[in-house]
Amino acid sequence: MPLLIKNGRIVTADSDFTADIFCEGETITRIGRGLDAPPGAEVIDASGKLVFPGFIDPHVHIYLPFMGTFSKDTYETGSKAALVGGTTTLIEMCCPSRNDQALAGFELWMSQAAGKSACDFTFHMGVTKFDGSTESQLREIVARGNSSFKIFLAYKGAFGIDDTELYRTLKLARELGVIVTAHCENETLVAERSRELLAAGITGPGAHHESRPPRVEAEGVHHLCTFAELTGAHVYAVHTSCAEALDVAVAARQRGVKVWVETLIQYLVLDKTYAERPDFEGAKYVMSPPLRDARNQAVMWNGLASGLVNTVATDHAPFDFKTQKPMGRDDFTKIPNGIPSLEERVNLLYMHGVRTGRLSLQTFVDVASTQAAKLFGLFPRKGTIAVGSDADLVVFDPDYRGTISAITQTMAVDYSAFEGWKIEGRPSIVTVRGEVAARDGKFTGTIGRGQFLKREPTHHG
Ligand code: URP
Ligand code: ZN
Ligand code: ZN
């Protein structure tokens, strides 16, 4: 059904104006004042509301076999939660184990999403080994329209690759024009420090930070940037949490390394004291890199405002507090890592970024949507509001007032890291290619309508 959104304040990364938007056949076909609705069109009055391009989460885990268990969301629950929260495109980390072949891994992850997702999706292809047969498989995956890779410099023995594999992956990425996203922590330092802490009887969630302090992450970013410099590959440091790691990326950028930086909503609004909460409550807040000292939050907010930090993601990795986090009750290294945030990213970024004056509305759109679209080969199909773009739109009500709770959330996990937090503003209408997929906090879309987004490599320069 055609859709007319009237009188909204349209905000993109580079414009801010009031107009109507007409959508037909999955795309935006007209933008202007006083547009008429043809018979049968749904008309949405957006007076007093903001209209944003659909938000993109460039780093999520939906299907994730990890640390001896599986993350809780499926594409059905995860895409519903994304849409309720204003996110219309997911970029998931495809993470085969070192025992699996890349192509089989890609097909497995695709089978989890295709026909099950209500929102559009694509993958960063995890390169978790690089042996004799990997190169041809990665070429095939890129040829199938998946033009970004993911590597882990941490998680020794699971997803982590060695330096020879890193070098070969980056060389191939450079040749193909594919960007490489990277989890940056020095895995030897993590392993040794964890061993020492456990040997000293320090076993609780609060010790997780001490096993991987800021310099461990900065060393990982430095390592990535050194390899990127010598191969010419374009790289993207995922979940950057602290000033030390950002400084290293900025210094590399200054000497010509093509490196982009992602931070997470968790690092912007939570700090390491949450993971130090007593009675194992801190396990809810264990993720890697860990939540940091609060001084880092201003650095990351300023980095977003000034363009040093490019994107805000979630690294959504939901594990139940009652049944999964306790796998590490006596050993923090066994607590499944992750803080579920897919549903709350946009609202928290608006509340703590825009409403506090830390981010302009346009920067908010840029870091939560447009930059990801540009970096990962989705722009201008996604990430903006323009004639010809997909009709992925968020009509946002700045006057909404509410409270976050696990009881009302859509994500399939038994806790909220933000339980009881106040929200000021939320999406009232969310569309995916012209279909209304969420209204006022409720999913109204169609499971299985989400499409795999084919992407050409764009990192040739
Ligand atoms: O703690 C995290 N980040 N969990 C998900 C896996 C990863 O490192 O991205
Ligand atoms: Zn990671
Ligand atoms: Zn991740």
Side-chain angles (χ1 to χ4, degrees):
M1 179 199 302
L3 185 68
L4 180 64
I5 299 176
K6 288 199 72 70
N7 298 317
R9 179 176 166 196
I10 298 168
V11 182
T12 70
D14 55 15
S15 61
D16 184 344
F17 59 102
T18 298
D20 306 338
I21 303 172
F22 185 65
C23 314
E24 203 171 21
E26 303 200 347
T27 59
I28 297 168
T29 53
R30 276 186 294 159
I31 301 173
R33 301 296 291 265
L35 299 184
D36 288 326
E42 174 169 2
V43 180
I44 291 166
D45 180 12
S47 308
K49 303 215 168 63
L50 299 156
V51 185
F52 301 125
F55 292 99
I56 299 171
D57 193 333
H59 181 173
V60 302
H61 302 269
I62 304 295
Y63 174 66
L64 180 63
F66 185 48
M67 298 183 75
T69 186
F70 290 83
S71 59
K72 281 302 300 290
D73 272 314
T74 62
Y75 260 89
E76 287 200 21
T77 60
S79 63
K80 281 184 185 175
L83 288 164
V84 164
T87 294
T88 53
T89 296
L90 297 177
I91 311 185
E92 189 190 9
M93 299 298 174
C94 170
C95 298
S97 85
R98 278 181 76 82
N99 301 325
D100 296 328
Q101 295 300 320
L103 199 50
F106 178 66
E107 285 170 353
L108 174 60
W109 259 259
M110 183 72 91
S111 74
Q112 300 294 319
K116 296 172 188 158
S117 183
C119 66
D120 290 348
F121 59 91
T122 179
F123 304 98
H124 298 305
M125 182 61 220
V127 183
T128 50
K129 67 176 170 189
F130 198 104
D131 62 18
S133 70
T134 306
E135 181 176 329
S136 61
Q137 295 181 51
L138 293 174
R139 286 181 187 279
E140 171 65 20
I141 290 164
V142 174
R144 290 189 194 181
N146 206 83
S147 60
S148 49
F149 294 160
K150 167 72 184 288
I151 53 160
F152 292 88
L153 304 183
Y155 305 133
K156 215 172 189 156
F159 303 135
I161 54 173
D162 67 27
D163 282 353
T164 306
E165 294 171 313
L166 172 62
Y167 189 73
R168 291 180 183 170
T169 303
L170 293 191
K171 290 270 284 191
L172 179 65
R174 171 68 181 150
E175 183 204 319
L176 297 174
V178 160
I179 189 169
V180 179
T181 70
H183 176 132
C184 299
E185 289 182 296
N186 182 292
E187 61 182 3
T188 305
L189 287 171
V190 173
E192 288 303 304
R193 292 178 68 90
S194 300
R195 197 178 50 74
E196 286 166 5
L197 286 159
L198 292 172
I202 304 169
T203 60
H208 181 68
H209 184 275
E210 294 321 304
S211 71
R212 43 219 312 159
R215 198 43 66 190
V216 168
E217 184 183 342
E219 164 59 18
V221 175
H222 179 261
H223 201 76
L224 175 74
C225 290
T226 301
F227 278 65
E229 187 168 1
L230 294 176
T231 57
H234 294 196
V235 294
Y236 172 96
V238 303
H239 49 41
T240 306
S241 69
C242 59
E244 287 86 339
L246 179 58
D247 285 350
V248 170
V250 170
R253 209 180 267 161
Q254 280 170 345
R255 58 178 199 273
V257 179
K258 295 284 195 287
V259 55
W260 287 266
V261 173
E262 169 193 281
T263 193
L264 305 181
I265 190 63
Q266 297 94 320
Y267 300 134
L268 293 166
V269 300
L270 299 168
D271 63 55
K272 71 174 188 173
T273 60
Y274 286 85
E276 291 165 353
R277 288 182 169 181
D279 303 325
F280 202 61
E281 179 82 5
K284 291 178 178 172
Y285 299 93
V286 167
M287 65 176 301
S288 297
L291 297 177
R292 298 301 188 189
D293 197 300
R295 72 181 163 85
N296 291 284
Q297 291 176 350
V299 175
M300 301 319 279
W301 283 115
N302 292 337
L304 288 166
S306 63
L308 296 180
V309 180
N310 306 98
T311 59
V312 178
T314 58
D315 193 8
H316 180 67
F319 295 100
D320 274 343
F321 178 59
K322 287 204 184 75
T323 55
Q324 293 178 296
K325 295 279 186 181
M327 292 166 67
R329 183 169 283 284
D330 302 318
D331 175 348
F332 66 86
T333 67
K334 296 193 168 68
I335 299 171
N337 284 201
I339 305 179
S341 307
L342 178 55
E343 197 166 341
E344 312 300 353
R345 175 186 66 129
V346 170
N347 290 345
L348 289 171
L349 192 66
Y350 179 83
M351 170 93 182
H352 295 273
V354 176
R355 286 192 66 82
T356 56
R358 289 170 170 136
L359 302 182
S360 70
L361 274 172
Q362 291 184 2
T363 302
F364 164 69
V365 171
D366 200 31
V367 299
S369 178
T370 313
Q371 284 288 323
K374 288 182 173 172
L375 279 170
F376 300 120
L378 292 167
F379 191 84
R381 180 175 176 190
K382 307 290 189 187
T384 194
I385 297 176
V387 171
S389 294
D390 280 359
D392 294 358
L393 297 164
V394 175
V395 179
F396 192 89
D397 179 4
D399 297 323
Y400 172 80
R401 298 291 179 267
T403 305
I404 299 172
S405 174
I407 293 166
T408 49
Q409 73 190 6
T410 311
M411 301 181 292
V413 62
D414 70 353
Y415 77 99
S416 170
F418 314 102
E419 187 69 40
W421 287 32
K422 298 285 175 229
I423 283 298
E424 296 179 4
R426 76 164 180 191
S428 68
I429 297 283
V430 180
T431 71
V432 177
R433 285 178 282 105
E435 180 189 91
V436 176
R439 279 181 208 267
D440 298 323
K442 295 271 175 293
F443 174 71
T444 60
T446 309
I447 291 297
R449 186 164 176 274
Q451 290 179 353
F452 171 64
L453 298 168
K454 286 194 171 189
R455 300 175 289 132
E456 293 294 322
T458 55
H459 288 269
H460 297 287

